[in-house]
Amino acid sequence: MSQLEFKRFRRLRNNPIIRDMMRETHLSVKDFIYPLFVINGEKIKNPIKSMPDVYQMSIDVLVEECKQVRDLGIPAVILFGIPEKKDEIGSDAQSENGIIQRAISAIKQNVPDLLVIGDVCMCEYTSHGHCGIVCGNEVMNDDTLIHLSKIALAQAKAGVDMVAPSDMMDGRVAAIRQTLDTHKFKNLPIMSYSAKYASAFYGPFREAAEGAPKFGDRKSHQMDYANSDEALREVEEDIFEGADIVMVKPAGAYLDIIYRVKNEFGMPTAAYQVSGEYSMIKAAAEKGWLDHDKIMIETLTAIKRAGADMILTYFAKNMATILNKG
Ligand code: PBG
């Protein structure tokens, strides 16, 4: 055996201290954006069956939750509204008194040091559950842009810190940017769900946000999960139209997309570890088949390692608690 020549990688894995020193990727509480679901009423905290530890909350409960989130050091939340009444055009989303507008101003009043992001989409607000204006079986692109702009503007007027269009209509970043700019919101950033795939991983979210389409699916506007070059074209276009942060969604099964987007554009890049990714871990852990915390940490580390600068995740509070303990 005297002739063997090889490198001994194990030298740098000998003990926890040296392993720690060699670690390339570190999660921080500051990486996380926490998604929250807000509903009308008072003192309401409805559990979501398919998403353990996630709730629909009325505004009073939401504000208390936001204080906890802030105290944990999590910098931002993203809000999804469930309106009392849904209609064809999702009126509640663009109304001054809409659930999301009231939630935004309540949080900004009571927890001003928490960054509030508004999800801009119509599916939670429309009677048909689609992300835009429907004509026959079609989700109309250009007609929808007008409404998305109104939703973004209503959120801006309520005091939101950032808007995040998740609808995947073409041209929505341009439309929203123009509307915000002409209404004195030039400094309000847009985080665009740029490469958002038509994914079965959104299943549990649709229970949480009550936004499942009543017919058809979202394949005419969300991306085909088989495509990767197309994601770069989507992201490039959103940057051109004025997106300040670009997002890839889902995250765990799309690490290659996160990697390519970050490498190609060097933009602030967000990744959304979506409801299905969360629920799979919860379910397996409940069965005792996987170690909950270890899987949580491993998946989030992988998403960051792939290139995400920020991660939207239902694990944010859980993860922050662990990180704060050191
Ligand atoms: C649309 C929207 C969806 C999600 C975020 N924004 C659902 C969809 O596109 O059908 C999914 C998030 C998740 O699954 O956690 N408003």
Side-chain angles (χ1 to χ4, degrees), residues 56-252:
Q56 297 175 334
M57 285 174 261
S58 53
I59 292 177
D60 51 330
V61 178
L62 183 81
V63 166
E64 293 312 307
E65 177 78 4
C66 283
K67 288 178 186 164
Q68 272 187 32
V69 171
R70 184 239 359 241
D71 292 345
L72 282 166
I74 297 165
V77 293
I78 183 163
L79 300 183
F80 300 94
I82 300 120
E84 209 151 39
K85 273 205 203 106
K86 303 187 186 220
D87 60 24
E88 287 277 303
I89 62 163
S91 308
D92 193 86
Q94 48 184 274
S95 150
E96 196 184 325
N97 291 317
I99 179 71
I100 208 82
Q101 277 63 253
R102 283 182 283 124
I104 291 164
S105 52
I107 299 172
K108 290 315 297 182
Q109 241 167 50
N110 294 289
V111 204
D113 43 351
L114 184 68
L115 193 106
V116 177
I117 305 170
D119 183 82
V120 174
C121 191
M122 290 168 65
C123 62
E124 299 112 64
Y125 305 90
T126 50
S127 42
H128 40 70
H130 279 291
C131 307
I133 299 300
V134 168
C135 188
N137 279 330
E138 194 182 337
V139 179
M140 308 296 286
N141 193 84
D142 297 19
D143 297 333
T144 301
L145 298 184
I146 301 161
H147 292 274
L148 294 169
S149 301
K150 286 184 184 169
I151 297 170
L153 183 59
Q155 294 185 0
K157 286 180 176 166
V160 85
D161 295 300
M162 190 185 295
V163 290
S166 68
D167 51 283
M168 284 298 276
M169 296 303 123
D170 292 322
R172 88 265 211 221
V173 174
I176 290 170
R177 187 70 271 160
Q178 188 189 63
T179 302
L180 293 175
D181 288 355
T182 52
H183 289 85
K184 304 201 177 70
F185 292 107
K186 278 202 166 71
N187 283 326
L188 196 83
I190 298 175
M191 175 168 75
S192 181
Y193 289 68
S194 301
K196 176 174 176 178
Y197 287 86
S199 169
F201 282 105
Y202 307 151
F205 173 95
R206 291 177 185 170
E207 180 198 340
E210 301 176 11
K214 298 279 185 294
F215 60 89
D217 54 37
R218 308 216 201 285
K219 288 183 183 159
S220 72
H221 42 290
Q222 298 182 348
M223 283 185 57
D224 180 348
Y225 54 72
N227 298 352
S228 158
D229 290 342
E230 188 189 356
L232 298 193
R233 297 196 292 274
E234 281 278 7
V235 170
E236 184 177 35
E237 172 65 16
D238 278 6
I239 296 167
F240 171 76
E241 291 181 20
D244 302 286
I245 299 172
V246 293
M247 192 200 298
V248 175
K249 176 188 173 189

Side-chain angles (χ1 to χ4, degrees), residues 287-300:
K287 279 185 169 284
W289 290 351
L290 289 173
D291 182 312
H292 179 278
D293 288 1
K294 284 183 177 160
I295 294 285
M296 170 178 74
I297 296 168
E298 186 172 334
T299 54
L300 289 167

